[in-house]
Structures are given as structure tokens and as C-alpha cells.
Amino acid sequence: VGASGAGKTCLVREGLHTLENESHTVVEMAFNFCTDSKRLQDQLEAVLERKTGSVLAPPGAKRLVCFLDDLNTCAVDKYGTQQPVAFLRQHLDYGFWYDRKKLAANEVQQVQYLASMTVTTGSQTIDPRLQASFATFTIPAPDETQTAHIYSSILSEHFSTFDAAVAKVASGPVLNAILNLHRSVAEGFTQTQTKFHYTFSMRQTSAVVQGLSRSLRQYYSTEASVVRLWLHETERVYADA
């Protein structure tokens, strides 16, 4: 659980990448408003095989690890429940789900779930009965000092082969402009029900820094050229948002 852009998905993917071997199979599914229980069931059954008449499990002796991103973003029905969440809770609590054609229970074995969610989007909460089946960890977003250190290291390393004056501007005034502009945009364009797309996080800042990091020394030999590049990248990122 953490704020948007805090790096939840990247951290989980990095950990899951080390599990993809002969003993584990990894499946990732991103939830959204339109995700329903049938879609979740179909995607899970696509990587499972029938061991006996009513037992489903991953191929061979593997264990399936399913990563569910943005767990709380699926629609809430008129009864106050979320279909995929209710489906997950049934499997975690009782160890089976139903075949939708034969209406028979299929016992599902060797399946483990990981999930991430942002508390400021979607339903903002999750069924406490489902949450009780998980160990919950919070990932805080870095503060301004940590953010400045992260991007300063990236820009300093990239511009280390450029002229000294260019490198000084990129890791100093340009970096300060990136952070100050992002703060102003985030404070001035707040998210509302009609402007739900106003979500500004480290994703936008990273996109600007990434654009600057693609610059080549032969094309950016003066301080003014780097400032113009920053202006271009900033307009591209924030105007699209």
C-alpha cells in the first residue's frame, strides 16, 4: 500500500523476477474499473492445469504466484462489493471456485497472491476480510530531500561527460526547476471527481529526467541548449497529463 508513483509495482516486479524458475510461475494482472470476476478467473485458469477431476494446479510441481496490481480499483456494485475481491476471498477462505459451465466446485492448489493498491484511487478501501488474508506493508513516497538526491545522482552521472558548465546547470538550476515546477503543478491542479486525471507523482518527474538523460553531448554543448531541452520535456510531460 502506498501513494501513486511510490514504486510499489517496480519493487514487486523486481522481487518476482527472481522467482521465475523451475519452482515458480509468475502471473501479473492489472485491475481497473472494468475488471470482473470472470476475467480474473479466466486469466488464472489459463495458467493452471487439471490434475484430477476437480483439482486445478500449476503445471508440474510449480507454485503459481499471482500479482494483482491496483487491487481496489474495480467497480463497486449496488451491494457494496467488488466482484474480483469477492472471488479472491472465496478462494482464499475455502480453497476452491466454481466451474462456470458445469457449476461444480474446482479445488485450486499451489496458488499464492500478491497485491498492491493506492489509497487515493478506486474505492480507497478493501474488504477487511480479504485484507486479513494478506500481510500489509506500506511504502511511503520519498520526501523532497530524498527526491532531489535521487534525481541529482542520475543527472550528475549522465552529464559527467558533458562540458563542466553544462553539467553544473543540469544538476543545479535545471534540477531545482524540475522539482519546483512539479510541486506547483501538484498543488495547483488537484484531483476532483470531474478532473480525476489530475494525478501528479514521481512518474512525471521521472519522465522529464528520463528525457534529459537521452541527450547527447554533441547536440547540447551550451547551458541554454540544456534549458531549452528541459522546457521541451516539461511541456511534453505536463501538457499530455
Side-chain angles (χ1 to χ4, degrees):
V1 180
S4 177
K8 303 181 299 297
T9 303
C10 291
L11 288 173
V12 173
R13 283 175 178 169
E14 184 177 357
L16 292 179
H17 181 70
T18 63
L19 290 178
E20 290 187 290
N21 49 40
E22 296 180 356
S23 61
H24 289 80
T25 299
V26 176
V27 171
E28 180 179 343
M29 183 175 181
F31 278 24
N32 55 53
F33 185 81
C34 298
T35 302
D36 57 17
S37 59
K38 185 178 186 305
R39 178 188 170 193
L40 174 59
Q41 182 176 350
D42 290 343
Q43 187 157 348
L44 288 171
E45 290 182 347
V47 293
L48 299 174
E49 65 180 18
R50 192 171 297 278
K51 298 295 185 179
T52 61
S54 61
V55 176
L56 298 177
K62 289 187 176 182
R63 185 176 185 84
L64 175 64
V65 180
C66 182
F67 173 46
L68 308 173
D69 200 9
D70 294 328
L71 180 64
N72 62 323
T73 55
C74 44
V76 179
D77 60 28
K78 63 180 180 180
Y79 303 105
T81 58
Q82 296 169 290
Q83 284 191 27
V85 170
F87 176 84
L88 287 173
R89 193 167 69 84
Q90 177 184 352
H91 180 218
L92 290 172
D93 290 349
Y94 302 104
F96 73 90
W97 62 60
Y98 286 98
D99 187 304
R100 292 177 180 264
K101 294 181 179 179
K102 298 180 181 179
L103 301 181
N106 284 328
E107 182 182 351
V108 183
Q109 301 177 349
Q110 298 297 317
V111 177
Q112 180 179 353
Y113 297 103
L114 292 174
S116 69
M117 59 178 280
T118 303
V119 294
T120 56
T121 59
S123 64
Q124 299 186 3
T125 58
I126 203 70
D127 187 345
R129 294 182 178 180
L130 177 68
Q131 187 175 352
S133 301
F134 288 84
T136 304
F137 300 91
T138 301
I139 300 179
D143 57 28
E144 291 189 6
T145 302
Q146 294 170 329
T147 302
H149 177 72
I150 292 171
Y151 293 124
S152 176
S153 300
I154 296 173
L155 292 176
S156 297
E157 177 63 25
H158 174 72
F159 286 97
S160 61
T161 59
F162 287 60
D163 292 341
V166 174
K168 184 177 180 180
V169 169
S171 59
V174 169
L175 175 60
N176 292 333
I178 293 173
L179 300 177
N180 291 335
L181 177 64
H182 179 80
R183 187 188 314 111
S184 299
V185 171
E187 293 175 353
F189 296 89
T190 56
Q191 192 176 34
T192 64
Q193 290 184 343
T194 57
K195 298 178 180 178
F196 54 87
H197 58 287
Y198 283 173
T199 304
F200 299 100
S201 64
M202 287 183 65
R203 290 190 180 95
Q204 285 76 31
T205 313
S206 298
V208 174
V209 174
Q210 185 180 39
L212 291 173
S213 299
R214 292 174 176 171
S215 58
L216 300 177
R217 178 178 179 179
Q218 59 266 34
Y219 300 122
Y220 297 93
S221 56
T222 65
E223 298 96 315
S225 61
V226 176
V227 173
R228 285 195 296 268
L229 176 61
W230 163 77
L231 181 62
H232 167 77
E233 292 298 328
T234 300
E235 184 176 0
R236 175 183 65 84
V237 172
Y238 289 98
D240 290 345

